[in-house]
């Protein structure tokens, strides 16, 4: 396997995307072998999508793709054999941005990024990869020593699910469930288990801006940590249990993302409650403000990563072009926003130009 993989062009105007299939293997340590095929994105297309953090771009590893070589980051290199184990003997199509998009083709990136909301909204399930049992970008285990019992207790708690999705319950029922589960966590987990749990909850994945869109739009959402499948509800309850309430509105907490997903399940009710500034909670300016503490690797993503879930996306009509320098990119987005919103949009334009909360 010496030849490097070469991409053929996609016709994004027809909704073409690439789906990866990880070939089954008997051993977790076997080299990863994948195939890639082009499909047209349509409502009945059966596939999964991966939500994950890229990690260190300078540290890459080769995998086999259609008999040739392509390099991926360490985090994805660790995820692929675990996904193979998760799928078992049945090959499954999955969309993974680093492989499904030709990252060296700026035009394709610009086109495919506009399809991402449809991709994550169409996927049968979104798998959130939280990393292996060790800390990200490290070869060390979470803690030194034998942690088997503590890990087992943590995974047992994180596997918990509510009888009904929280967005189908009234406020009183939600509160009662949370109180009961929080009490259970405090009574059943040792200090060592809680320490392990915190290591999981504070991983970089949870503060990645693109995660918001990927989680909110998912039909079905699961989380994979190493070889273990855990529930987002378990992550939510755990985050609520060990975090002071004032911090829950900040990224880095699964509770914030879970509640955001909950809110979007009530989008119609939510949008009937406009802010004092006349903005709906899912307008791009409000989303941009609420996400100001998240992180991106490309400053242009501050706008694009939230457009897919913005209620005023069609009105704004911004078409991202990653071939533009950052300043021109932001300027074009501002023009589109002001053309759509007029004078009432001027007070909120600061959220398009700031990389963090404007002072």
């Amino acid at each position: 396997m010496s030849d490097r993989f070469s991409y053929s062009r996609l016709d994004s105007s027809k909704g073409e995307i690439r789906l990866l299939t990880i070939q089954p293997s008997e051993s977790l340590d076997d080299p990863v072998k994948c195939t890639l095929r082009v499909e047209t994105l349509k409502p009945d297309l059966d596939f999964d999508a991966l939500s994950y953090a890229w990690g260190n771009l300078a540290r890459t590893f080769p995998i086999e793709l259609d008999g040739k070589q392509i390099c991926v980051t360490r985090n994805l290199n660790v995820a692929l054999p675990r996904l193979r184990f998760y799928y078992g003997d049945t090959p499954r199509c999955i969309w993974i941005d680093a492989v499904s998009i030709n990252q060296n083709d700026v035009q394709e990136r610009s086109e495919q990024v506009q399809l991402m909301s449809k991709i994550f909204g169409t996927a049968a399930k979104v798998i959130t990869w939280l990393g292996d049992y060790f800390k990200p970008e490290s070869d060390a285990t979470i803690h030194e020593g034998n942690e088997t019992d503590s890990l087992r207790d943590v995974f047992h708690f994180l596997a918990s699910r509510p009888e009904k999705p929280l967005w189908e319950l009234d406020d009183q029922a939600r509160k009662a469930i949370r109180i009961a589960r929080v009490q259970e966590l405090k009574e059943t987990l040792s200090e060592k288990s809680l320490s392990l749990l915190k290591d999981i909850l504070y991983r970089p994945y949870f503060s990645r801006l693109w995660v918001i869109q990927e989680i909110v739009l998912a039909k079905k959402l699961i989380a994979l940590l190493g070889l273990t499948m855990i529930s987002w509800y378990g992550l939510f309850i755990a985050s609520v249990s060990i975090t002071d309430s004032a911090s829950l509105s900040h990224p880095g907490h699964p509770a914030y993302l879970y509640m955001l997903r909950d809110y979007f399940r009530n989008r119609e009710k939510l949008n009937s409650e406009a802010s004092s500034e006349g903005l709906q909670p899912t307008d791009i300016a409000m989303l941009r403000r609420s996400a100001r503490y998240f992180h991106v690797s490309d400053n242009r993503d501050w706008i694009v990563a939230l457009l897919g879930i913005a209620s005023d996306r069609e009105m704004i009509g911004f078409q991202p072009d990653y071939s533009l320098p950052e300043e021109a990119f932001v300027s074009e987005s501002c023009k589109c926003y002001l053309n759509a919103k007029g004078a009432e949009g001027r007070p909120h334009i600061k959220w398009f130009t700031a990389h963090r909360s404007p002072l």
Side-chain angles (χ1 to χ4, degrees):
M1 186 183 67
S2 57
D3 294 341
R4 295 189 66 81
F5 180 80
S6 178
Y7 287 93
S8 57
R9 286 286 300 165
L10 288 177
D11 188 342
S12 299
S13 66
K14 295 180 179 179
E16 288 186 349
I17 61 172
R18 299 187 187 92
L19 296 179
L20 187 75
T21 300
I22 309 169
Q23 298 304 312
S25 179
E26 294 182 358
S27 173
L28 189 67
D29 296 324
D30 286 345
V32 172
K33 297 182 179 181
C34 306
T35 58
L36 197 64
R37 73 169 189 258
V38 175
E39 294 283 357
T40 300
L41 185 61
K42 48 190 177 182
D44 60 348
L45 184 61
D46 187 25
F47 68 100
D48 296 336
L50 185 68
S51 174
Y52 69 110
W54 277 38
N56 186 354
L57 300 179
R59 192 179 182 191
T60 60
F61 299 80
I63 62 168
E64 183 176 320
L65 185 62
D66 288 338
K68 297 185 179 181
Q69 178 179 298
I70 188 171
C71 289
V72 298
T73 61
R74 183 183 188 278
N75 195 33
L76 184 53
N77 186 56
V78 174
L80 289 171
R82 274 78 182 164
L83 287 168
R84 180 176 62 191
F85 178 87
Y86 168 75
Y87 286 129
D89 295 330
T90 306
R92 176 78 176 159
C93 291
I94 185 168
W95 188 89
I96 303 176
D97 60 355
V99 180
S100 297
I101 299 175
N102 181 359
Q103 299 296 326
N104 294 320
D105 186 331
V106 177
Q107 180 180 345
E108 179 174 299
R109 283 174 53 207
S110 300
E111 295 169 350
Q112 288 286 296
V113 79
Q114 297 180 63
L115 294 176
M116 284 180 64
S117 59
K118 290 183 179 178
I119 290 170
F120 281 92
T122 302
K125 63 178 173 290
V126 172
I127 301 172
T128 57
W129 168 248
L130 303 182
D132 209 346
Y133 303 133
F134 45 75
K135 291 182 178 179
E137 301 300 333
S138 169
D139 294 322
T141 55
I142 293 179
H143 285 288
E144 297 299 329
N146 187 352
E147 306 286 356
T148 303
D149 291 342
S150 297
L151 275 173
R152 184 172 60 243
D153 291 342
V154 169
F155 292 144
H156 176 74
F157 184 86
L158 291 179
S160 64
R161 289 175 171 80
E163 293 182 4
K164 287 185 176 181
L166 292 187
W167 52 82
E168 293 182 6
L169 304 174
D170 59 34
D171 291 342
Q172 187 174 358
R174 293 186 201 185
K175 184 177 180 180
I177 290 175
R178 286 200 293 263
I179 291 174
R181 295 296 288 134
V182 167
Q183 186 63 30
E184 180 184 345
L185 180 145
K186 292 179 179 178
E187 292 176 352
T188 58
L189 293 188
S190 65
E191 287 299 318
K192 184 177 290 186
S193 295
L194 285 173
S195 179
L196 291 170
L197 184 56
K198 288 179 181 179
D199 281 330
I200 295 168
L201 296 176
Y202 288 92
R203 291 190 172 190
Y205 171 83
F206 297 109
S207 60
R208 175 178 166 264
L209 184 66
W210 282 100
V211 163
I212 297 177
Q213 173 180 259
E214 296 161 3
I215 288 175
V216 162
L217 296 175
K219 294 177 183 176
K220 180 180 180 181
L221 186 66
I222 67 168
L224 198 61
L225 179 71
L227 299 175
T228 307
M229 187 172 70
I230 57 182
S231 80
W232 265 88
Y233 176 72
L235 289 168
F236 164 69
I237 291 296
S239 185
V240 169
S241 304
I242 66 174
T243 307
D244 61 277
S245 58
S247 300
L248 292 180
S249 61
H250 284 232
H253 298 292
Y256 174 82
L257 293 165
Y258 191 90
M259 288 188 290
L260 198 61
R261 178 172 164 80
D262 185 7
Y263 291 156
F264 270 80
R265 289 297 186 275
N266 291 283
R267 180 189 284 236
E268 184 175 340
K269 176 183 176 182
L270 185 66
N271 280 341
S272 68
E273 303 170 358
S275 71
S276 59
E277 299 165 293
L279 294 175
Q280 293 180 340
T282 53
D283 281 355
I284 184 63
M286 290 291 283
L287 289 171
R288 175 66 184 83
R289 180 180 358 184
S290 66
R292 61 189 178 274
Y293 297 113
F294 278 76
H295 302 292
V296 296
S297 57
D298 185 327
N299 282 324
R300 292 169 293 187
D301 290 343
W302 279 116
I303 301 162
V304 182
L306 296 171
L307 270 179
I309 57 174
S311 55
D312 50 359
R313 173 185 180 179
E314 297 298 327
M315 179 193 300
I316 295 170
F318 176 58
Q319 303 294 318
D321 181 358
Y322 278 83
S323 67
L324 292 176
E326 181 182 322
E327 184 177 350
F329 188 96
V330 173
S331 175
E332 186 61 30
S333 71
C334 290
K335 288 179 183 177
C336 290
Y337 184 77
L338 291 175
N339 286 340
K341 300 287 186 175
E344 69 179 35
R346 289 195 174 278
H348 314 296
I349 202 68
K350 60 188 177 184
W351 297 106
F352 284 77
T353 58
H355 298 157
R356 284 287 188 270
S357 170
L359 300 176

